[in-house]
Amino acid sequence: MIIGAGPAGLVLSHLLHLQGVESVVLEARDRTYVESRVRAGVLEHGTMELLRETGVGARMDAEGLAHGGTELRVDGRSHHVDFAELTGKSIVVYGQQEVVKDLIGRRLADSGDLRFEVGDVQIHDEDTDHPRVTYTHEGTAQSLAADWVVGADGFHGSSRAHVPGQVFDRQYPFAWLGILAHAAPSSAELIYAKHDRGFALHSMRSPVVTRNYLQVHPDADLADWSDERIWDELSTRLAGEDGFTLTRGAIFDKGITGMRSFVHEPMRHGRLLLAGDAAHIVPPTGAKGMNLAIADVRVLSHALGQWAATGSTEGLDAYSDTALARVWRTTHFSWWMTSMLHRFDGYDATSTPFDERVQLSQLRYTVSSRAAMTTLAENYVGLPFTTGWSYR
């Protein structure tokens, strides 16, 4: 039983199917909502390879925007971080909702059991060999027995409450105001800008749609941010000595998202296993959330496949520790990017001029040192998977 039809739940269901393991996926929302909710948009090298290897990467390759690097703007100057030259790898910009569409289409084509608009999902007997999940679907109360239950129901889901453990949580003193606009990208690659007025990010979703972000206070009111004010502020923070001009267009979506780092340990209790946002959250600065969720279920699918084929729980017993090693490495990278690029003065009462000088020194070192740029590039394109496994 997999609770949640986001990237984690859908990828896991697909990978299990390729190994001959049956699963049922329960999702609270309807299919249209799931396929249209806008989330992350950057896929790591390993995520791309996994989607290709398992037969769900064709549309990504046809429509995704391949990027061989990114731009960091410091003191108004642009510095190119060349992923391809530093690591031999790249990333692709391809929206999470597009990944979800591809996976849902493939699971349904493979006669996968996806159940949308379920309610009152409850997990029972997870600390026994016979866990159950009860829920309502199409007005009828139902109960299903399973060998294992996977909670991939996101940060606000109910699965995590069934896993005793320790929580590590950090709230950042700022938020992101994000927009989607009908405007051609103003740059061939993402631009991360450190500015005296706060952080800004120029990204894209397609050749005609851009995704832009501004650092704002967590209690900022969208009503105070007219479209014109947003474009003016983005233009100011993204400006540089290269004469950069931001292409404007009609904004069709905007919202404010809080920033936090969150990890729950362990990621397993009995026959219940957590994956993705149900177990951990990272700030979006490093573009890691969806990639980390998919890395979780790659490990988990191997462990469940091993159990189904041999009865061995060796992989399942190691799952939490294996996944958490990557989770903490990614948590550090996302914290590092966030701490290095955002303004803390005026947002965090404990921030001092000393902190500001140290932050700026770190950023200037990063853009001037090949070793530091390589560290950034290696983490951004995604660290290698530790297990030698193929679905071919």
Side-chain angles (χ1 to χ4, degrees):
M1 293 290 296
I2 300 170
I3 305 173
L10 291 169
V11 170
L12 178 60
S13 180
H14 176 55
L15 299 185
L16 291 176
H17 168 74
L18 295 180
Q19 299 176 83
V21 181
E22 295 182 0
S23 65
V24 177
V25 180
L26 305 179
E27 169 57 44
R29 304 283 191 165
D30 61 47
R31 179 180 176 182
T32 299
Y33 177 88
V34 172
E35 291 185 334
S36 62
R37 56 185 170 190
V38 176
R39 293 291 188 271
V42 172
L43 303 186
E44 292 178 353
H45 180 82
T47 300
M48 293 188 293
E49 290 297 299
L50 179 66
L51 296 179
R52 288 171 182 144
E53 179 189 359
T54 58
V56 286
R59 200 162 69 90
M60 172 194 72
D61 285 331
E63 301 179 14
L65 304 177
H67 286 190
T70 192
E71 298 284 338
L72 296 182
R73 295 215 163 175
V74 189
D75 304 325
R77 296 181 180 179
S78 188
H79 306 266
H80 187 237
V81 183
D82 193 327
F83 299 155
E85 195 270 331
L86 294 168
T87 70
K89 299 177 181 178
S90 61
I91 56 99
V92 69
V93 175
Y94 189 63
Q96 175 175 312
Q97 72 274 19
E98 305 304 326
V99 174
V100 166
K101 288 176 188 175
D102 296 340
L103 289 163
I104 289 177
R106 179 58 183 268
R107 290 304 298 123
L108 294 178
D110 290 337
S111 301
D113 194 341
L114 308 183
R115 305 182 188 185
F116 295 98
E117 297 183 85
V118 304
D120 194 27
V121 176
Q122 301 288 334
I123 302 170
H124 308 271
D125 305 324
E126 67 274 6
D127 54 353
T128 74
D129 290 340
H130 305 285
R132 293 182 302 114
V133 176
T134 58
Y135 61 97
T136 58
H137 188 230
E138 298 179 345
T140 303
Q142 301 192 33
S143 177
L144 282 176
D147 294 302
W148 299 87
V149 177
V150 178
D153 48 350
F155 182 75
H156 298 290
S158 61
S159 297
R160 187 174 62 251
H162 292 264
V163 182
Q166 184 174 3
V167 166
F168 302 86
D169 194 7
R170 173 164 186 167
Q171 296 274 358
Y172 294 87
F174 37 73
W176 275 12
L177 189 163
I179 65 166
L180 281 166
H182 293 297
S186 306
S187 169
E189 297 174 339
L190 278 69
I191 301 175
Y192 289 82
K194 162 75 172 171
H195 192 274
D196 289 343
R197 296 176 63 87
F199 170 78
L201 171 62
H202 175 62
S203 181
M204 61 287 293
R205 287 295 180 267
S206 77
V208 295
V209 173
T210 53
R211 181 74 159 158
N212 297 282
Y213 297 96
L214 289 168
Q215 176 186 353
V216 297
H217 286 274
D219 57 355
D221 188 345
L222 271 179
D224 296 331
W225 286 88
S226 66
D227 291 3
E228 183 178 8
R229 182 187 177 190
I230 291 171
W231 285 119
D232 288 346
E233 192 65 23
L234 283 166
S235 295
T236 297
R237 297 189 194 183
L238 290 166
E241 295 180 348
D242 57 359
F244 174 82
T245 300
L246 184 65
T247 303
R248 303 188 180 201
I251 296 174
F252 63 91
D253 182 79
K254 59 182 173 180
I256 294 176
T257 303
M259 307 277 281
R260 76 186 307 163
S261 296
F262 177 94
V263 180
H264 182 282
E265 294 185 359
M267 292 171 62
R268 175 189 172 185
H269 175 62
R271 293 258 173 157
L272 171 62
L273 306 117
L274 301 179
D277 288 0
H280 42 73
I281 293 286
V282 292
T285 321
K288 291 300 171 191
M290 174 171 55
N291 293 291
L292 193 53
I294 291 175
D296 284 349
V297 297
R298 183 182 186 276
V299 173
L300 184 53
S301 69
H302 301 166
L304 288 167
Q306 178 191 51
W307 170 83
T310 69
S312 171
T313 62
E314 180 181 0
L316 289 162
D317 294 338
Y319 165 65
S320 182
D321 288 342
T322 302
L324 283 168
R326 192 183 191 94
V327 167
W328 278 113
R329 172 85 294 278
T330 303
T331 297
H332 174 267
F333 174 68
S334 298
W335 165 85
W336 178 67
M337 288 280 285
T338 302
S339 301
M340 185 170 61
L341 290 166
H342 288 75
R343 178 179 175 179
F344 284 79
D345 178 43
Y347 293 84
D348 183 353
T350 67
S351 179
T352 68
F354 174 87
D355 299 318
E356 183 182 352
R357 292 296 190 276
V358 168
Q359 177 194 38
L360 192 55
S361 174
Q362 174 64 62
L363 187 51
R364 287 172 175 166
Y365 170 70
T366 299
V367 299
S368 62
S369 163
R370 180 179 176 86
M373 277 197 176
T374 301
T375 294
L376 191 158
E378 285 180 344
N379 283 271
Y380 202 98
V381 302
L383 298 175
F385 291 112
T386 56
T387 54
W389 181 280
S390 174
Y391 291 96
R392 293 190 186 281

